[in-house]
Amino acid sequence: MTLICVPLVARTVEEMVADAVAAAAAGGDLVEIRLDFIEGFRPREHLPLLLRGCPLPALVTYRPNWEGGQYEGDDTTRFEALHIAMELGVDYVDVELKVADKFMNFISGNKPEKCKLIVSSHNYEYTPSCEELANLVASIQAVGADIVKIATTAKDIVDVSRMFQVMVHCQVPMIGLVMSEKGLMSRVLAPKFGGYLTFGILNAAKTSASGQPTVEELLEIYNIRRIGPDTKVLGLIANPVKQSKSPILHNKCLQSVGYNAVYLPLLGDNLASFLETYSSPDFSGFSCSLPFKVDAVQCCDEHDPVAKSIGAINTIIRRPDGKLVGYNTDYIGAISAIEDGIGGPGSKDAAISLLAGRLIVVVGAGGAGKAIAYGAKEKGARVVVANRTYEKAVSLANAIGGQALRLADLETFRPEEGMILANATSLGMYPNIDGTPIPKKSLSFYNVVFDAVYAPKVTRLLREAEECGVKVVSGVEMFIRQAMGQFEHFTGGIEGVMFSSALVLNSLHAKCFNISDYLYFLQLLKA
Ligand code: NAP
């Protein structure tokens, strides 16, 4: 089992002990006591207090500044402190590869049997090649480490794959972590690739390296105790990705139906190289969002016909034969949300769509804009496309047999009463929440206003539309429905799961909107 290690970075012994107690309560398995963070650290006085007060097994680290730590003194003083910790019965001691030989000489090769020696190497710049990483493992083994620790830095998400390759071939216990947000996968998937431990912090203020998730996220969102070699990897590839609620939603649903998979936020730079690098059957399905939905069409071997005509894909499934198949669930999600917004829940099931014959103004001609424009057209609506880059509005309008509009003309566009407005731009999306595609005074031209943006849940556009007495439909509605479609693709083919996934998502949906604080993920959606 991969252990969850909580790094303790408090400035005083008392705070360290309090954090160790909090780490145990949060569900950590051990703590890393970072002696270099303690101000005025006095080993003989402080170590017994720290180790006696710690309710979990402890790893003691005294990291020098030349390896990314806070300690600025000489090695001998550091080694003495580590030696005292060993004599006091500490479970693990970490020492840097660069001085590991020197440390072994210092302790004359004698360490208590109970104490495991972690020899570590940190690269804060990049992740070396597989060969270099393997050589590093060999050097660490050669100095007599019980556990190998290598931490590198991801410049690109594909860098993490090299760490995974080395971990699965390592013959000794290994901690292999890749720092930065792009390296998050290495931390969550440590149990899949045999990592000895992974770090989980108490909260964002108590981090010891970049990209560390909280213990709560590891346990509650990623369900890390259930991750093993056979766990499938799903995720959202996007840039930025931090703001997405998809990992919360999908992981909750995967847990509810007992499907052995984990869903990760994947901060990517290039979709094609990501899919090529993570090509094993275990990396079985991806959501894709900004800015990859159009690129995804090129990356897939086969396409759902609707997705192909939209020219944007938000779901990629790796079939058992390795072929990548692209789908677009945004289209169904958005259109059914708007239909239900016009006529109340269940309206999407009516024989004739409530969109038929209506005039809908779609603002935006990117992935979401195309999905809504094609979907509305298919339902018999008359579609007008407005976009910042006018040429894209023209091209989309021509493709679906609609009309194009310049964004500047939206303010005065009022050919008839009772129109529907759908924002499919990122205007108003966190963190630029003051953005809106249309002045407030023009919102009264519309009957229904839909905003694809779902973070925040109530955008400026929706707030102003409500103030004008217009019916509003939140992007959360689309988000839930597109996620339902994705979830069925991710889990499809497994007997019983299609049915229960729909049930779970339906019940999530019902609970979200009727009992708004019932579900954990919805609490976050309120942000
Ligand atoms: P996309 O393909 O990158 O398209 C972005 C669109 O926004 C383009 O039309 C772009 O216009 C426009 N835009 C960006 N910045 C703008 C600005 N400052 N002023 C005016 N227009 C601007 O993105 P997408 O995938 O379609 O996503 C668009 C939005 O929908 C995002 O906020 C996304 O989160 C949301 N969305 C929500 C859901 C959901 O489930 N609720 C699903 C999908 C998407 P140009 O063509 O001129 O660049």
Side-chain angles (χ1 to χ4, degrees):
M1 186 185 88
T2 298
L3 303 170
I4 298 179
C5 179
V6 183
L8 304 184
V9 292
R11 297 277 163 199
T12 66
V13 170
E14 294 71 27
E15 261 185 83
M16 277 280 182
V17 171
D19 283 352
V21 172
D29 299 306
L30 76 153
V31 292
E32 180 186 37
I33 302 176
R34 286 289 300 266
L35 301 179
D36 50 308
F37 276 80
I38 300 175
E39 281 165 5
F41 176 61
R42 295 186 293 281
R44 290 209 178 272
E45 182 188 335
H46 291 158
L47 276 167
L49 295 174
L50 285 165
L51 297 178
R52 259 204 316 269
C54 182
L56 292 173
L59 151 61
V60 163
T61 300
Y62 205 175
R63 189 78 71 225
N65 53 4
W66 49 260
E67 187 87 355
Q70 311 273 313
Y71 177 78
E72 291 182 340
D74 61 87
D75 283 340
T76 310
T77 312
R78 235 165 34 93
F79 291 172
E80 268 165 15
L82 296 178
H83 196 205
I84 295 169
M86 282 174 157
E87 285 174 342
L88 289 169
V90 76
D91 305 272
Y92 304 88
V93 158
D94 176 310
V95 71
E96 304 71 28
L97 174 62
K98 283 179 198 148
V99 293
D101 272 334
K102 209 167 138 192
F103 180 70
M104 290 307 251
N105 285 337
F106 183 86
I107 60 168
S108 314
N110 297 323
K111 67 175 178 64
E113 207 175 310
K114 178 195 172 213
C115 181
K116 292 197 165 62
L117 180 68
I118 299 175
V119 175
S120 60
S121 165
H122 299 79
N123 185 327
Y124 294 95
E125 305 291 322
Y126 64 98
T127 300
S129 67
C130 281
E131 196 185 345
E132 286 168 297
L133 287 174
N135 289 339
L136 206 48
V137 170
S139 312
I140 291 175
Q141 273 184 268
V143 293
D146 297 308
I147 300 167
V148 170
K149 178 184 173 193
I150 300 179
T152 62
T153 300
K155 285 179 158 173
D156 188 303
I157 194 166
V158 299
D159 298 342
V160 184
S161 72
R162 300 198 287 281
M163 187 64 83
F164 290 154
Q165 282 181 51
V166 172
M167 281 168 80
V168 293
H169 291 111
C170 189
Q171 302 294 315
V172 287
M174 178 173 173
I175 304 163
L177 297 168
V178 185
M179 296 178 280
S180 88
E181 192 188 342
K182 291 175 183 172
L184 176 74
M185 221 197 315
S186 70
R187 300 184 180 279
V188 180
L189 297 182
K192 179 171 174 67
F193 294 99
Y196 186 82
L197 64 76
T198 191
F199 290 95
I201 53 176
L202 284 175
N203 60 53
K206 299 192 171 183
T207 175
S208 67
S210 103
Q212 289 169 331
T214 62
V215 182
E216 191 186 358
E217 284 165 347
L218 288 174
L219 292 171
E220 299 297 323
I221 297 182
Y222 302 116
N223 205 13
I224 194 166
R225 302 280 191 219
R226 302 295 298 271
I227 297 177
D230 298 334
T231 301
K232 299 263 184 227
V233 182
L234 308 168
L236 167 66
I237 175 149
N239 194 335
V241 75
K242 234 195 226 156
Q243 78 295 343
S244 174
K245 315 295 182 202
S246 294
I248 300 168
L249 177 66
H250 281 290
N251 283 312
K252 277 269 169 256
C253 293
L254 291 166
Q255 288 159 31
S256 305
V257 299
Y259 190 76
N260 187 11
V262 60
Y263 186 101
L264 301 170
L266 305 162
L267 180 63
D269 292 306
N270 182 308
L271 181 65
S273 73
F274 172 84
L275 292 167
E276 207 175 297
T277 304
Y278 297 100
S279 60
S280 98
D282 274 2
F283 287 76
S284 61
F286 304 101
S287 311
C288 46
S289 190
L290 240 66
F292 299 124
K293 287 186 182 179
V294 177
D295 294 354
V297 179
Q298 300 296 324
C299 293
C300 288
D301 304 298
E302 289 176 24
H303 310 84
D304 169 84
V306 182
K308 192 155 195 185
S309 58
I310 291 170
I313 274 168
N314 77 335
T315 312
I316 300 176
I317 300 299
R318 193 186 305 280
R319 280 199 323 225
D321 64 2
K323 292 256 191 287
L324 296 171
V325 188
Y327 300 91
N328 188 313
T329 65
D330 285 338
Y331 137 76
I332 299 161
I335 295 302
S336 66
I338 294 171
E339 285 173 329
D340 284 353
I342 300 171
S347 308
K348 63 181 183 302
D349 303 325
I352 297 176
S353 168
L354 292 174
L355 273 166
R358 299 287 295 264
L359 191 107
I360 180 167
V361 178
V362 180
V363 190
K370 283 180 184 158
I372 298 169
Y374 273 90
K377 190 70 192 174
E378 197 181 277
K379 296 285 184 177
R382 291 168 292 134
V383 183
V384 173
V385 183
N387 193 48
R388 176 177 63 178
T389 310
Y390 181 61
E391 295 69 33
K392 286 196 202 164
V394 172
S395 145
L396 177 56
N398 287 344
I400 57 154
Q403 181 192 337
L405 191 69
R406 290 183 192 279
L407 204 51
D409 295 333
L410 195 58
E411 188 176 342
T412 52
F413 185 71
R414 192 186 196 175
E416 62 188 56
E417 297 301 314
M419 301 184 292
I420 297 159
L421 181 78
N423 176 42
T425 73
S426 44
L427 284 165
M429 182 169 91
Y430 178 83
N432 302 315
I433 55 169
D434 289 333
T436 184
I438 182 168
K440 184 177 177 183
K441 63 178 180 343
S442 310
L443 286 170
S444 54
F445 306 164
Y446 296 89
N447 234 202
V448 176
V449 169
F450 164 76
D451 199 342
V453 174
Y454 68 91
K457 188 177 171 193
V458 181
T459 57
R460 178 178 162 192
L461 172 66
L462 294 188
R463 195 179 60 246
E464 292 184 344
E466 243 175 346
E467 284 164 7
C468 295
V470 177
K471 212 184 256 187
V472 297
V473 181
S474 159
V476 172
E477 292 285 345
M478 172 181 174
F479 172 72
I480 297 277
R481 291 149 199 259
Q482 61 79 28
M484 189 185 301
Q486 293 192 326
F487 192 73
E488 288 186 356
H489 286 302
F490 293 149
T491 56
I494 307 288
E495 207 179 325
V497 169
M498 289 269 277
F499 176 65
S500 47
S501 67
L503 259 183
V504 168
L505 277 155
N506 275 325
S507 64
L508 274 178
H509 181 263
K511 283 173 184 162
C512 287
F513 297 104
N514 296 335
I515 317 168
S516 63
D517 58 353
Y518 187 72
L519 279 166
Y520 177 57
F521 94 88
L522 196 73
Q523 288 169 10
L524 299 183
L525 281 174
K526 282 183 197 151

